Amino acid sequence: MNLSEGIAARYSEERLTAREAQRLAEFIAWGPAVFQASRIMVKRGVLDMLREAGEEGLTREEVVEKSGLSDYAVKCLLEASLCIGTVLVNPSTARYRLSKTGWFLLNDPATRVNIDFNQDVNYIGWHSLEEALVNGRPEGLRHFGDWPTVYEGLSQLPEHVRRSWLSFDHFYSDSSFPDALDIIFKRNLTRSLYDVGGNTGKWALQCVAYDPEVEVTVLDLPQQIAMMQENVKGQDGADRIHGHGINLLDPQAQFPAGKPDAIWMSQFLDCFSMDEIVSILSRARAAMGPDTRVYIMETLWDRQRFEPAAFCLTMTSLYFTAIANGNSKMYNTEDMTACIARSGLEIEEIYDNLGQGHSILKCRPANHISTEGSPL
């Protein structure tokens, strides 16, 4: 396993004292309560009040007055938050103030997106995680609807759930779009592009806005294509965005003919098992000409510069298990490279550290198909 320098030491050496390790074990045991108390402190504005109060802080009574919560509720929340580490207290004055952790809880955009995603999309489904791991199915999805994966049901999810899902999905990809556009259109000549798993058409719109000559074909489930077409309607360049309905899990479903300059897959292959990835990439390989390139943009957890990012990504794998589809994850470089080789492609170049931690694997047709690293 090749871990980046930023995470290797954290994951290969014991860094905690016995007392610190014991505390972390209890933190894990009370994790659901930690999450909910912290989420409520954000939602009800208590952390905002403490931030605005600065170093002087607020008494419990002042928080009661400002928040409209009962003294009992405020006492429970402040004491829990004190032990969680999001607030600090001055013992002599009994005034509470925001801690560094509380500041990040309020101000880090990724953290705020993750809170909403876990509350609205995942929280109930986590209860079925063990069942999902054993059965290889997204057992936690059942409380939303009877779909084999979340993608078939995305357009039917409750509005607040779909909003949190899309915010999570777009937050990580959007930050990488400027770098990705430069790679696709400046460093590599691209006039035709397949956007595989194009979802709402957000990337397709970026492409046609960036390059006035490019034609984009979005490949996705028919219901997603309908949502995409509605989303791009009337926007500049929409006439150069085309839809192709396809069930990419069907091994007989072929990519459209045309030998495009680029086949783009952004945060897409992590939605599939390794065997399914090989099937998808093999069909992409069949649609390629000699000069076509496949660009795979993923947040590979082992290539992250900072450890919190690797933590978020490996936890996201459990969302895929319990909610999304039951058999995919956030992959590391070794696994993705094995899938690429088995599909008849080879990595030509890797672009790292894009946006919130993405890498782009630029792939070309290989001379042979490798079975190395096969999970079978």
Side-chain angles (χ1 to χ4, degrees), residues 254-273:
Q254 299 301 311
F255 284 34
K259 294 181 171 47
D261 295 324
I263 299 176
W264 171 255
M265 302 179 183
S266 172
Q267 291 187 176
F268 173 69
L269 293 181
D270 54 46
C271 301
F272 303 94
S273 70

Side-chain angles (χ1 to χ4, degrees), residues 89-100:
V89 68
N90 183 328
S92 60
T93 62
R95 301 185 74 87
Y96 294 85
R97 67 186 190 277
L98 195 67
S99 71
K100 289 181 181 178

Side-chain angles (χ1 to χ4, degrees), residues 82-110:
L82 186 66
C83 295
I84 291 167
T86 54
V87 304
L88 299 169
V89 68
N90 183 328
S92 60
T93 62
R95 301 185 74 87
Y96 294 85
R97 67 186 190 277
L98 195 67
S99 71
K100 289 181 181 178
T101 300
W103 187 94
F104 277 104
L105 203 62
L106 274 180
N107 294 286
D108 179 33

Side-chain angles (χ1 to χ4, degrees), residues 1-5 7-8 301-304 332-334:
M1 181 180 293
N2 295 314
L3 300 177
S4 70
E5 183 180 348
I7 63 177
W301 72 260
D302 61 323
R303 303 184 77 88
Q304 299 304 304
N332 61 23
T333 309
E334 181 181 4

Side-chain angles (χ1 to χ4, degrees), residues 218-236:
V218 176
L219 281 65
D220 214 323
L221 292 166
Q223 59 267 40
Q224 290 298 112
I225 293 296
M227 188 168 67
M228 177 277 294
Q229 290 171 331
E230 183 64 28
N231 189 54
V232 305
K233 185 189 300 181
Q235 302 202 47
D236 290 344

Side-chain angles (χ1 to χ4, degrees), residues 35-49 51 77 81 86 98 101-107 111-112 115-116:
F35 173 79
Q36 289 296 350
S38 301
R39 182 187 67 82
I40 294 166
M41 287 285 281
V42 172
K43 180 182 178 182
R44 302 302 298 233
V46 178
L47 292 186
D48 269 317
M49 298 170 197
R51 176 177 57 182
L77 287 171
S81 298
T86 54
L98 195 67
T101 300
W103 187 94
F104 277 104
L105 203 62
L106 274 180
N107 294 286
T111 302
R112 295 296 293 268
I115 287 175
D116 291 342

